[in-house]
Each structure stands twice: as C-alpha cells, then as structure tokens.
Amino acid sequence: MADDGHPRGRLAGRLIGLGVTGSIAAYKAVDLVRRLQDQGADVVVLLTPSAARFVGPLTFAAISRHPVEGDVLALLPDGRIGHIVIADSVDALVVAPATAHWLGAMANGLSGDSVTAACLATTAPVVVAPAMDGDMYAHPATQANVRRLRDDFGYALVEPESGPLASGQQGIGRLAESGRIVDAVVAALAGRPIREPRSERRPPTVAPVRDPDLAGRRIVITGGGTREPIDTVRFIGNRSSGKMAVALAEAALDRGAAVTLVAANTTVSLPDGATIRQVETTGQLRAAVLEALTGPGDEAGPDALIMAAAVADFTPTRPSAGKLTRGERVILELSPTPDILAEAARIARGLDAAGEPTRQALRPVPVLVGFAAEAGSLDRAPGKLVRKQVDLIVGNDITAPGSGFGTDTNRVVIFDASGGQEALPLLAKREVADRILDRVARLLGERDATDVDGDAATRQTVGPTHEGQP
Ligand code: CTP
C-alpha cells in the first residue's frame, strides 16, 4: 500500500488464491503471501489438512486478513461455499508448495481438499510450484502428472530449484524462490482485467480485534438516503447506499457501544446487534433523531450522534394525495428541509432557533458528527462545522475515484472544531468508520475529564423544537 492509500504494484487490486499443500516448504508460503501483498495483491489462503500440520491457519489468517479455507465441506458464516467463492472471485490461483500427492490428485480431478476443489471450479489462471524430494520429483508418475497439469490443463508450472532438500540430500525439488512465483503470477495475468472488483462477491475478511473502548456508550447513527414523496408512488431520492453508516454501526458495536441505527433507505443489510429505526422521509428521520437524542422516557440520551444519512435538502411543498397521471404538465415546487443536525446541536447545547441559550442543555452534551458530501473541493466543509455547531465534520469528495455513494471505500478529511484537519488515505469504509470512532472516543474521554458533574442519572433532556416539518 502506498502512502496515499492507493495499492500500487504489479498485482494492484488483484485477488490471489494461494493453495498450500503438505510439504515442509509450507512455511515458505508465509513469505509468498507477503511478496504477493507487496505487489498490491489481496491474498486468500486455502490449506489442505496436511499443510495445516506444518503451518497453522491462524498464521495465514493473521497475515492475509481473510479466514483460511481449510475444510472443503465447511460453509462460510454467511452460508456461501468457501472454495467456490474463491474459485469465482480470484484473478489467479497459486499452488505453492504443491506436493507429489497433490499433483496426482489434481491430475486426476480428485477434489478431496479445498485446493483441488477450487482449481477444478475456477476459470482463472492456475500457477503451480511443486516442492518435494528430488527422486519423488523425478519419478515418471510425478512427471506425468506435471505434464498433464501443464499441457492438458494449461497451468503455469514454476519448476522447483536445485539445492539441499529436507532429507539432507541434494537434488531438484526445492520450492522456487518467492520472486519467481510472483513473476509467474504476474505473467499469467498479463492483459486480463480485474475479475471481481465487488467486495461482497469476494471472500470475507477478518475484522481486526479492537479494544471495547466504547463499552457503556450509546451511539446514534443515521444512514441511507431520505425519500420525499411527489405523489403516492413517486419520490425524490438520492444514491446513498447506507454502507458508511452500516460500517460505523458495525465498528461501534465491535467496540462495545450500544448502537441505534436510524436507517433511511439503504441497499445493504443492517447489523443484527443494533437497534434499528427504519424511516423513509426527512420528516421521519428528524422525528427519530430528536426522539433518540432526548432519550425515551427516563433514559438518558446518547453519548454521540453521527449523521451519515444523505438527507434531502428539498421536499415537494404539496405532494399529491393520489397518483399523478401523465398528460398533465407538472410543476414541482420544492421547499427546503429543516437542518436536522443543526437542530440537534442546538438542543444539545440548550439553544433556541435564534441561537439564544433559553433552555437546559443536555448533560453531558453528546459528541456530534456530520458528513459533508461535496462534489470537488472540500472548501465548504469547515463552514458546515461552524454553521451546524458540531464537533467533527467528515468531508468527502463524492466525485473522487473510490469515494462516495455505493462504494466500499472512501477517502475523507476529518475537520474538527479547533480548526484541525486530518486527511485520511483511500480506505475501506470499515477502516474509515474506525478512524472516525477513534476521534469520537477521544472526544468522549475529554468530555468525561472536564464534565465532573456528568453523571448520566442527572442528565436533563428537553423536547424537540417546533421548527420545520414534523
Ligand atoms: N443534514 C441534516 N439535515 C439536512 C441536510 C443535511 O441533518 N436537512 C446533515 C447531513 O446528514 C450531514 C450534514 O448535515 O451530516 C451535512 O450535509 P450536507 O448535505 O453536506 O450539507 P447541507 O447542510 O445540506 O448544506 P449544502 O446544501 O449547502 O451543501
């Protein structure tokens, strides 16, 4: 990964499946994972049962950041068949080291382990690097199997090297150096487009284990895009998928927070562990946020509000009660929607619509985070922070490659109330979520340190203001 977050190298953006079989050279596959990653590849590892006796799956999972595919009969947690997901999404499969036994199984199409099963199921190029005792490699059976893989199946063979073998003998059988295997993968992929760029079609990733630094905190997150009715069947909407909000919710849950996700219209599944408030329009989103902010009944309000929702800026002034029919000329009059985040900030600080301190502030004041989705420059983002009176504004240029609506990645700049800016590289939305939550956790820590009376039981809450639509 380069400093700016763009993967660079001869395998940038590629997904490579590395099949490891039961040779003493299996330990060299750990280095091979790293060398492939150095070239920008995402690597997922498949192990045969005997390979797992040489190097454990935990090692490969930790360095590849993917669960290891080690049991041909086991399903992924989401019910998909692991070796088929790998077969269908990898740009190339590499088998290194490939034992004499595995070459024989593969030559005969015996899919008793995940590595052979994935090779049988894939249409991607396959690169095979054998490693074994010299006499085993020279045996006519092994040579016939190698020929079959190369000549009949079209696999690229990376011949073993000569040198001292595990038996103490000299001979041809040492696993080729990682660099030669990487070169063979690059050559096999020349001119081919990236096969499966959609992360949801690729194998699952291993989430990094985080400290539960948000345990005991309540966080309200909004996400998705609001829809404003034109008539009973039509609406004005936007392209928000809700992916950023779901990433924030999942990250906050993993860090121990209690999460309420106010979900406007989304295209992704919502996390099980969160309390979900499903909404459609800006008016409903506003009502749900204000209710969550002031806490139902005697309960205290949240420690943080993160407004990741793409809120409609305008709503039809007089939506039609029925279905508008074609043939009529329709002029749509739009009215501005209330600024929910600014209103939430005023309530939190005890200010009225004119900004006057006329009522009790929430105690303690929740950390408030907004997003500023801009097309092009982020110059307007700091102004939104001041105007909305929030702690952080996460600015992103929705026109930049890999950023914005529907993508799995985002490149953001975090603006804070003391004028600071933190520009993050292009990251997975989950990683962006954790970076935002790092800032939220820090602000909560600072708030706790200064708010000596900040006992949740003594919090005061106030009702919503009456501006804007209900
Ligand atoms: N937001 C809100 N209520 C609205 C519009 C936006 O709470 N009616 C929130 C968004 O969820 C986001 C932040 O305010 O967290 C900034 O949204 P953005 O659309 O970028 O800013 P606007 O206030 O709409 O300003 P402009 O239209 O000038 O870009």
Side-chain angles (χ1 to χ4, degrees):
M1 187 80 70
D3 286 349
D4 62 3
H6 281 299
R8 298 253 165 79
R10 295 180 296 160
L11 297 171
R14 301 284 191 184
L15 174 66
I16 306 296
L18 173 59
V20 183
T21 72
S23 153
I24 180 72
Y27 77 92
K28 295 182 181 173
V30 178
D31 176 63
L32 183 55
V33 175
R34 286 269 187 250
R35 298 288 79 81
L36 290 163
Q37 289 171 331
D38 288 347
Q39 293 299 326
D42 185 12
V43 182
V44 59
V45 176
L46 307 99
L47 287 184
T48 63
S50 54
R53 295 179 64 184
F54 287 99
V55 184
L58 190 59
T59 302
F60 286 113
I63 61 164
S64 71
R65 306 293 291 271
H66 290 284
V68 167
E69 182 60 29
D71 183 350
V72 73
L73 298 178
L75 295 177
L76 294 174
D78 60 11
R80 293 183 298 164
I81 302 169
H83 60 272
I84 299 296
V85 171
I86 292 174
D88 289 349
S89 59
V90 288
D91 289 283
L93 273 173
V94 186
V95 185
T99 60
H101 176 86
W102 184 83
L103 292 168
M106 190 66 233
N108 290 286
L110 302 176
S111 57
D113 61 76
S114 331
V115 182
T116 28
C119 287
L120 284 173
T122 197
T123 55
V126 179
V127 175
V128 177
M132 66 199 73
D133 170 73
D135 292 330
M136 287 172 78
Y137 190 62
H139 193 283
T142 308
Q143 288 301 312
N145 292 331
V146 167
R147 274 197 301 279
R148 183 149 167 75
L149 265 56
R150 188 182 52 218
D151 301 341
D152 295 350
F153 300 176
Y155 292 180
L157 260 292
V158 186
E159 294 293 336
E161 295 172 2
S162 174
L165 302 168
S167 59
Q169 298 169 0
Q170 295 280 325
I172 296 178
R174 284 167 64 87
L175 180 67
E177 288 298 325
S178 295
R180 282 184 56 213
I181 301 173
V182 172
D183 288 346
V185 175
V186 171
L189 289 174
R192 289 175 180 258
I194 289 181
R195 193 153 163 245
E196 184 49 88
R198 292 166 295 186
S199 62
E200 64 273 20
R201 299 283 178 95
R202 288 184 167 200
T205 49
V206 180
V209 179
R210 303 282 310 208
D211 288 340
D213 59 347
L214 294 172
R217 306 289 192 186
R218 293 156 189 267
I219 301 194
V220 176
I221 297 164
T222 69
T226 60
R227 290 178 178 173
E228 305 307 303
I230 296 171
D231 63 14
T232 44
V233 292
R234 302 178 183 91
F235 57 82
I236 300 175
N238 61 64
R239 296 185 199 284
S240 173
S241 62
K243 282 184 180 174
M244 192 63 239
V246 167
L248 280 159
E250 288 175 347
L253 287 165
D254 285 350
R255 293 165 72 155
V259 174
T260 298
L261 178 58
V262 182
N265 306 279
T266 55
T267 58
V268 286
S269 51
L270 305 178
D272 288 338
T275 302
I276 307 291
R277 298 268 178 272
Q278 201 86 52
V279 298
E280 173 99 6
T281 64
T282 300
Q284 292 167 2
L285 179 70
R286 173 177 175 267
V289 168
L290 297 186
E291 186 191 306
L293 196 64
T294 52
D298 292 338
E299 268 182 40
D303 293 285
L305 167 67
I306 305 178
M307 284 285 292
V311 185
D313 286 328
F314 299 98
T315 187
T317 312
R318 283 174 296 278
S320 174
K323 178 176 177 266
L324 291 169
T325 52
R326 190 155 52 89
E328 293 171 25
R329 181 164 178 253
V330 179
I331 297 177
L332 215 53
E333 186 185 286
L334 302 176
S335 306
T337 55
D339 188 328
I340 301 167
L341 184 55
E343 187 177 353
R346 285 197 299 276
I347 291 170
R349 291 175 219 288
L351 308 176
D352 67 11
E356 294 300 320
T358 53
R359 54 188 166 192
Q360 189 79 48
L362 301 185
R363 287 183 59 201
V365 177
V367 169
L368 299 170
V369 182
F371 275 72
E374 307 289 347
S377 153
L378 297 184
D379 288 354
R380 299 175 67 241
K384 290 183 183 178
L385 185 137
V386 175
R387 183 153 45 86
K388 294 171 191 268
Q389 289 289 296
V390 293
D391 299 283
L392 301 172
I393 282 277
V394 183
N396 76 311
D397 173 6
I398 51 171
T399 62
S403 289
F405 297 137
T407 59
D408 294 311
T409 52
N410 212 351
R411 182 194 294 272
V412 305
V413 180
I414 304 177
F415 297 89
D416 62 40
S418 54
Q421 321 187 351
E422 183 187 3
L424 301 180
L426 186 70
L427 296 170
K429 281 187 172 167
R430 171 59 193 250
E431 183 67 20
V432 174
D434 271 312
R435 300 288 193 97
I436 294 167
L437 292 174
D438 288 346
R439 300 290 295 259
V440 170
R442 211 185 314 156
L443 286 166
L444 286 171
E446 288 166 16
R447 188 194 70 181
D448 289 351
T450 52
D451 183 14
V452 285
D453 302 322
D455 174 6
T458 66
R459 284 186 197 196
Q460 306 288 314
T461 59
V462 294
T465 59
H466 296 291
E467 67 179 44
Q469 59 184 23

